[in-house]
PDB file of all heavy atoms in Angstrom:
ATOM      1  N   ARG Z1023      42.272  14.779  17.460  1.00 97.00           N
ATOM      2  CA  ARG Z1023      40.971  14.113  17.412  1.00 97.00           C
ATOM      3  C   ARG Z1023      40.034  14.654  18.497  1.00 97.00           C
ATOM      4  O   ARG Z1023      38.837  14.847  18.258  1.00 97.00           O
ATOM      5  CB  ARG Z1023      41.153  12.601  17.571  1.00 97.00           C
ATOM      6  CG  ARG Z1023      41.784  11.916  16.366  1.00 97.00           C
ATOM      7  CD  ARG Z1023      42.074  10.466  16.673  1.00 97.00           C
ATOM      8  NE  ARG Z1023      42.609   9.764  15.502  1.00 97.00           N
ATOM      9  CZ  ARG Z1023      43.075   8.524  15.549  1.00 97.00           C
ATOM     10  NH1 ARG Z1023      43.076   7.849  16.708  1.00 97.00           N
ATOM     11  NH2 ARG Z1023      43.548   7.951  14.462  1.00 97.00           N
ATOM     12  N   LEU Z1024      40.577  14.881  19.685  1.00 98.00           N
ATOM     13  CA  LEU Z1024      39.746  15.393  20.772  1.00 98.00           C
ATOM     14  C   LEU Z1024      39.292  16.825  20.491  1.00 98.00           C
ATOM     15  O   LEU Z1024      38.166  17.196  20.840  1.00 98.00           O
ATOM     16  CB  LEU Z1024      40.504  15.318  22.093  1.00 98.00           C
ATOM     17  CG  LEU Z1024      40.610  13.917  22.710  1.00 98.00           C
ATOM     18  CD1 LEU Z1024      41.499  13.935  23.942  1.00 98.00           C
ATOM     19  CD2 LEU Z1024      39.234  13.385  23.070  1.00 98.00           C
ATOM     20  N   ARG Z1025      40.140  17.613  19.875  1.00 98.00           N
ATOM     21  CA  ARG Z1025      39.707  18.970  19.497  1.00 98.00           C
ATOM     22  C   ARG Z1025      38.531  18.889  18.531  1.00 98.00           C
ATOM     23  O   ARG Z1025      37.572  19.653  18.631  1.00 98.00           O
ATOM     24  CB  ARG Z1025      40.875  19.736  18.870  1.00 98.00           C
ATOM     25  CG  ARG Z1025      41.831  20.314  19.901  1.00 98.00           C
ATOM     26  CD  ARG Z1025      43.082  20.890  19.308  1.00 98.00           C
ATOM     27  NE  ARG Z1025      42.842  22.074  18.494  1.00 98.00           N
ATOM     28  CZ  ARG Z1025      43.820  22.915  18.128  1.00 98.00           C
ATOM     29  NH1 ARG Z1025      45.066  22.700  18.529  1.00 98.00           N
ATOM     30  NH2 ARG Z1025      43.548  23.963  17.376  1.00 98.00           N
ATOM     31  N   GLU Z1026      38.612  17.937  17.615  1.00 97.00           N
ATOM     32  CA  GLU Z1026      37.519  17.744  16.669  1.00 97.00           C
ATOM     33  C   GLU Z1026      36.241  17.320  17.385  1.00 97.00           C
ATOM     34  O   GLU Z1026      35.143  17.831  17.095  1.00 97.00           O
ATOM     35  CB  GLU Z1026      37.932  16.689  15.634  1.00 97.00           C
ATOM     36  CG  GLU Z1026      36.895  16.383  14.580  1.00 97.00           C
ATOM     37  CD  GLU Z1026      37.327  15.258  13.664  1.00 97.00           C
ATOM     38  OE1 GLU Z1026      38.525  14.885  13.678  1.00 97.00           O
ATOM     39  OE2 GLU Z1026      36.473  14.735  12.934  1.00 97.00           O
ATOM     40  N   LEU Z1027      36.369  16.397  18.336  1.00 97.00           N
ATOM     41  CA  LEU Z1027      35.192  15.931  19.075  1.00 97.00           C
ATOM     42  C   LEU Z1027      34.605  17.052  19.929  1.00 97.00           C
ATOM     43  O   LEU Z1027      33.378  17.203  20.017  1.00 97.00           O
ATOM     44  CB  LEU Z1027      35.572  14.740  19.957  1.00 97.00           C
ATOM     45  CG  LEU Z1027      36.012  13.457  19.242  1.00 97.00           C
ATOM     46  CD1 LEU Z1027      36.377  12.395  20.256  1.00 97.00           C
ATOM     47  CD2 LEU Z1027      34.930  12.954  18.300  1.00 97.00           C
ATOM     48  N   MET Z1028      35.459  17.842  20.583  1.00 97.00           N
ATOM     49  CA  MET Z1028      34.966  18.925  21.424  1.00 97.00           C
ATOM     50  C   MET Z1028      34.319  20.032  20.584  1.00 97.00           C
ATOM     51  O   MET Z1028      33.350  20.656  21.015  1.00 97.00           O
ATOM     52  CB  MET Z1028      36.107  19.480  22.291  1.00 97.00           C
ATOM     53  CG  MET Z1028      36.606  18.494  23.350  1.00 97.00           C
ATOM     54  SD  MET Z1028      37.973  19.123  24.369  1.00 97.00           S
ATOM     55  CE  MET Z1028      37.083  20.242  25.464  1.00 97.00           C
ATOM     56  N   ARG Z1029      34.832  20.261  19.393  1.00 97.00           N
ATOM     57  CA  ARG Z1029      34.177  21.216  18.495  1.00 97.00           C
ATOM     58  C   ARG Z1029      32.770  20.743  18.146  1.00 97.00           C
ATOM     59  O   ARG Z1029      31.829  21.541  18.092  1.00 97.00           O
ATOM     60  CB  ARG Z1029      34.994  21.370  17.213  1.00 97.00           C
ATOM     61  CG  ARG Z1029      36.205  22.247  17.326  1.00 97.00           C
ATOM     62  CD  ARG Z1029      36.912  22.379  16.002  1.00 97.00           C
ATOM     63  NE  ARG Z1029      36.034  22.957  14.969  1.00 97.00           N
ATOM     64  CZ  ARG Z1029      36.387  23.118  13.694  1.00 97.00           C
ATOM     65  NH1 ARG Z1029      37.596  22.729  13.291  1.00 97.00           N
ATOM     66  NH2 ARG Z1029      35.550  23.662  12.837  1.00 97.00           N
ATOM     67  N   GLY Z1030      32.625  19.438  17.922  1.00 95.00           N
ATOM     68  CA  GLY Z1030      31.315  18.898  17.580  1.00 95.00           C
ATOM     69  C   GLY Z1030      30.298  19.104  18.689  1.00 95.00           C
ATOM     70  O   GLY Z1030      29.113  19.341  18.426  1.00 95.00           O
ATOM     71  N   VAL Z1031      30.752  19.022  19.943  1.00 95.00           N
ATOM     72  CA  VAL Z1031      29.840  19.222  21.075  1.00 95.00           C
ATOM     73  C   VAL Z1031      29.261  20.631  21.061  1.00 95.00           C
ATOM     74  O   VAL Z1031      28.083  20.841  21.346  1.00 95.00           O
ATOM     75  CB  VAL Z1031      30.581  18.957  22.409  1.00 95.00           C
ATOM     76  CG1 VAL Z1031      29.747  19.409  23.596  1.00 95.00           C
ATOM     77  CG2 VAL Z1031      30.921  17.482  22.538  1.00 95.00           C
ATOM     78  N   VAL Z1032      30.089  21.620  20.716  1.00 96.00           N
ATOM     79  CA  VAL Z1032      29.639  23.010  20.724  1.00 96.00           C
ATOM     80  C   VAL Z1032      28.865  23.353  19.452  1.00 96.00           C
ATOM     81  O   VAL Z1032      27.885  24.109  19.498  1.00 96.00           O
ATOM     82  CB  VAL Z1032      30.850  23.955  20.897  1.00 96.00           C
ATOM     83  CG1 VAL Z1032      30.438  25.412  20.760  1.00 96.00           C
ATOM     84  CG2 VAL Z1032      31.499  23.723  22.259  1.00 96.00           C
ATOM     85  N   GLU Z1033      29.281  22.804  18.335  1.00 93.00           N
ATOM     86  CA  GLU Z1033      28.644  23.164  17.065  1.00 93.00           C
ATOM     87  C   GLU Z1033      27.332  22.426  16.834  1.00 93.00           C
ATOM     88  O   GLU Z1033      26.385  23.002  16.285  1.00 93.00           O
ATOM     89  CB  GLU Z1033      29.618  22.897  15.919  1.00 93.00           C
ATOM     90  CG  GLU Z1033      30.831  23.826  15.942  1.00 93.00           C
ATOM     91  CD  GLU Z1033      31.873  23.460  14.898  1.00 93.00           C
ATOM     92  OE1 GLU Z1033      31.640  22.460  14.155  1.00 93.00           O
ATOM     93  OE2 GLU Z1033      32.901  24.148  14.809  1.00 93.00           O
ATOM     94  N   ASP Z1034      27.275  21.148  17.262  1.00 89.00           N
ATOM     95  CA  ASP Z1034      26.087  20.345  16.936  1.00 89.00           C
ATOM     96  C   ASP Z1034      25.529  19.565  18.117  1.00 89.00           C
ATOM     97  O   ASP Z1034      24.567  18.816  17.946  1.00 89.00           O
ATOM     98  CB  ASP Z1034      26.427  19.340  15.814  1.00 89.00           C
ATOM     99  CG  ASP Z1034      26.949  20.024  14.571  1.00 89.00           C
ATOM    100  OD1 ASP Z1034      26.286  20.952  14.087  1.00 89.00           O
ATOM    101  OD2 ASP Z1034      28.030  19.639  14.091  1.00 89.00           O
ATOM    102  N   GLY Z1035      26.129  19.700  19.311  1.00 87.00           N
ATOM    103  CA  GLY Z1035      25.721  18.852  20.420  1.00 87.00           C
ATOM    104  C   GLY Z1035      25.169  19.604  21.603  1.00 87.00           C
ATOM    105  O   GLY Z1035      24.481  20.618  21.461  1.00 87.00           O
ATOM    106  N   THR Z1036      25.540  19.149  22.783  1.00 86.00           N
ATOM    107  CA  THR Z1036      24.953  19.680  24.018  1.00 86.00           C
ATOM    108  C   THR Z1036      25.578  20.992  24.470  1.00 86.00           C
ATOM    109  O   THR Z1036      25.084  21.620  25.407  1.00 86.00           O
ATOM    110  CB  THR Z1036      25.107  18.653  25.149  1.00 86.00           C
ATOM    111  OG1 THR Z1036      26.502  18.347  25.311  1.00 86.00           O
ATOM    112  CG2 THR Z1036      24.345  17.374  24.831  1.00 86.00           C
ATOM    113  N   GLY Z1037      26.677  21.415  23.826  1.00 91.00           N
ATOM    114  CA  GLY Z1037      27.384  22.601  24.293  1.00 91.00           C
ATOM    115  C   GLY Z1037      27.182  23.829  23.451  1.00 91.00           C
ATOM    116  O   GLY Z1037      28.033  24.738  23.453  1.00 91.00           O
ATOM    117  N   THR Z1038      26.063  23.921  22.742  1.00 92.00           N
ATOM    118  CA  THR Z1038      25.840  25.072  21.853  1.00 92.00           C
ATOM    119  C   THR Z1038      25.768  26.387  22.611  1.00 92.00           C
ATOM    120  O   THR Z1038      25.996  27.458  22.020  1.00 92.00           O
ATOM    121  CB  THR Z1038      24.547  24.870  21.042  1.00 92.00           C
ATOM    122  OG1 THR Z1038      23.453  24.611  21.949  1.00 92.00           O
ATOM    123  CG2 THR Z1038      24.679  23.694  20.087  1.00 92.00           C
ATOM    124  N   ASN Z1039      25.462  26.352  23.903  1.00 93.00           N
ATOM    125  CA  ASN Z1039      25.415  27.587  24.695  1.00 93.00           C
ATOM    126  C   ASN Z1039      26.785  28.228  24.873  1.00 93.00           C
ATOM    127  O   ASN Z1039      26.878  29.363  25.361  1.00 93.00           O
ATOM    128  CB  ASN Z1039      24.812  27.320  26.067  1.00 93.00           C
ATOM    129  CG  ASN Z1039      23.306  27.218  26.020  1.00 93.00           C
ATOM    130  OD1 ASN Z1039      22.671  27.682  25.080  1.00 93.00           O
ATOM    131  ND2 ASN Z1039      22.718  26.606  27.036  1.00 93.00           N
ATOM    132  N   ALA Z1040      27.848  27.509  24.482  1.00 95.00           N
ATOM    133  CA  ALA Z1040      29.196  28.058  24.605  1.00 95.00           C
ATOM    134  C   ALA Z1040      29.699  28.646  23.300  1.00 95.00           C
ATOM    135  O   ALA Z1040      30.817  29.174  23.253  1.00 95.00           O
ATOM    136  CB  ALA Z1040      30.160  26.976  25.094  1.00 95.00           C
ATOM    137  N   ALA Z1041      28.925  28.565  22.232  1.00 96.00           N
ATOM    138  CA  ALA Z1041      29.376  29.049  20.928  1.00 96.00           C
ATOM    139  C   ALA Z1041      29.598  30.555  20.940  1.00 96.00           C
ATOM    140  O   ALA Z1041      28.830  31.310  21.546  1.00 96.00           O
ATOM    141  CB  ALA Z1041      28.360  28.663  19.860  1.00 96.00           C
ATOM    142  N   ILE Z1042      30.676  30.992  20.257  1.00 96.00           N
ATOM    143  CA  ILE Z1042      31.014  32.409  20.142  1.00 96.00           C
ATOM    144  C   ILE Z1042      31.111  32.745  18.660  1.00 96.00           C
ATOM    145  O   ILE Z1042      31.930  32.147  17.947  1.00 96.00           O
ATOM    146  CB  ILE Z1042      32.357  32.721  20.843  1.00 96.00           C
ATOM    147  CG1 ILE Z1042      32.289  32.354  22.325  1.00 96.00           C
ATOM    148  CG2 ILE Z1042      32.725  34.198  20.680  1.00 96.00           C
ATOM    149  CD1 ILE Z1042      33.628  32.464  23.039  1.00 96.00           C
ATOM    150  N   PRO Z1043      30.320  33.659  18.169  1.00 95.00           N
ATOM    151  CA  PRO Z1043      30.389  34.023  16.749  1.00 95.00           C
ATOM    152  C   PRO Z1043      31.795  34.481  16.363  1.00 95.00           C
ATOM    153  O   PRO Z1043      32.431  35.251  17.078  1.00 95.00           O
ATOM    154  CB  PRO Z1043      29.383  35.170  16.623  1.00 95.00           C
ATOM    155  CG  PRO Z1043      28.432  34.964  17.767  1.00 95.00           C
ATOM    156  CD  PRO Z1043      29.250  34.394  18.876  1.00 95.00           C
ATOM    157  N   GLY Z1044      32.296  33.981  15.235  1.00 93.00           N
ATOM    158  CA  GLY Z1044      33.605  34.378  14.765  1.00 93.00           C
ATOM    159  C   GLY Z1044      34.759  33.674  15.448  1.00 93.00           C
ATOM    160  O   GLY Z1044      35.914  34.051  15.253  1.00 93.00           O
ATOM    161  N   ALA Z1045      34.492  32.652  16.273  1.00 96.00           N
ATOM    162  CA  ALA Z1045      35.546  31.917  16.970  1.00 96.00           C
ATOM    163  C   ALA Z1045      35.277  30.418  16.882  1.00 96.00           C
ATOM    164  O   ALA Z1045      34.134  29.987  16.713  1.00 96.00           O
ATOM    165  CB  ALA Z1045      35.636  32.348  18.431  1.00 96.00           C
ATOM    166  N   THR Z1046      36.334  29.645  16.986  1.00 97.00           N
ATOM    167  CA  THR Z1046      36.222  28.186  17.067  1.00 97.00           C
ATOM    168  C   THR Z1046      36.247  27.787  18.538  1.00 97.00           C
ATOM    169  O   THR Z1046      37.187  28.142  19.260  1.00 97.00           O
ATOM    170  CB  THR Z1046      37.375  27.507  16.334  1.00 97.00           C
ATOM    171  OG1 THR Z1046      37.360  27.908  14.966  1.00 97.00           O
ATOM    172  CG2 THR Z1046      37.250  25.994  16.416  1.00 97.00           C
ATOM    173  N   VAL Z1047      35.225  27.077  18.955  1.00 98.00           N
ATOM    174  CA  VAL Z1047      35.096  26.706  20.367  1.00 98.00           C
ATOM    175  C   VAL Z1047      34.883  25.203  20.475  1.00 98.00           C
ATOM    176  O   VAL Z1047      34.111  24.610  19.708  1.00 98.00           O
ATOM    177  CB  VAL Z1047      33.920  27.444  21.037  1.00 98.00           C
ATOM    178  CG1 VAL Z1047      33.789  27.042  22.507  1.00 98.00           C
ATOM    179  CG2 VAL Z1047      34.100  28.956  20.923  1.00 98.00           C
ATOM    180  N   GLY Z1048      35.580  24.593  21.409  1.00 97.00           N
ATOM    181  CA  GLY Z1048      35.355  23.187  21.734  1.00 97.00           C
ATOM    182  C   GLY Z1048      34.971  23.045  23.188  1.00 97.00           C
ATOM    183  O   GLY Z1048      35.415  23.843  24.030  1.00 97.00           O
TER     184      GLY Z1048
END
Side-chain angles (χ1 to χ4, degrees):
R1023 289 173 177 173
L1024 284 174
R1025 280 171 67 164
E1026 180 185 347
L1027 295 179
M1028 292 179 76
R1029 282 182 59 184
V1031 169
V1032 174
E1033 293 174 0
D1034 303 308
T1036 57
T1038 54
N1039 282 340
I1042 301 172
T1046 301
V1047 180

